[in-house]
Amino acid sequence: DKARLAALRALAAELGVADSVDWHVDVPYPKLCELLGGASAGLHTMLDEHFGICVVEYLAAGAVPIAHDSAGPRMDIVRPANGERLS
């Protein structure tokens, strides 16, 4: 959403990393595939998203997902290892 994007851009500027961050919003699917194919990581910031499909897309592309620890990404995607929850 626009408010979240504005807040993230402001935070990047405040932290002095704005020149090191590329922002891509509402890109067409072919461009998304191109970007994910060259990505090392993907940032998922939505709080309480019901599933977190973009986290799965990051994984499928070989990028490390950095996701909010809530809702779908926590409950549906992060799975226990050796019987223990990863926290």
Side-chain angles (χ1 to χ4, degrees):
D1 81 337
K2 291 179 183 180
R4 181 177 305 277
L5 179 60
L8 288 170
R9 284 183 168 156
L11 179 60
E14 179 184 325
L15 295 173
V17 298
D19 291 341
S20 299
V21 177
D22 294 324
W23 304 95
H24 300 277
V25 180
D26 296 327
V27 297
Y29 185 71
K31 180 67 175 176
L32 175 65
C33 292
E34 177 187 329
L35 291 166
L36 286 177
S40 299
L43 179 62
H44 173 67
T45 64
M46 180 178 265
L47 174 65
D48 293 330
E49 183 177 7
H50 67 282
F51 177 66
I53 192 65
C54 67
V55 174
V56 176
E57 291 170 336
Y58 296 153
L59 290 167
V64 175
I66 303 164
H68 193 276
D69 187 20
S70 67
R74 180 179 187 161
M75 295 184 298
D76 298 329
I77 299 170
V78 176
R79 305 303 309 157
N82 299 322
E84 294 185 26
R85 177 145 188 93
L86 301 173
S87 297

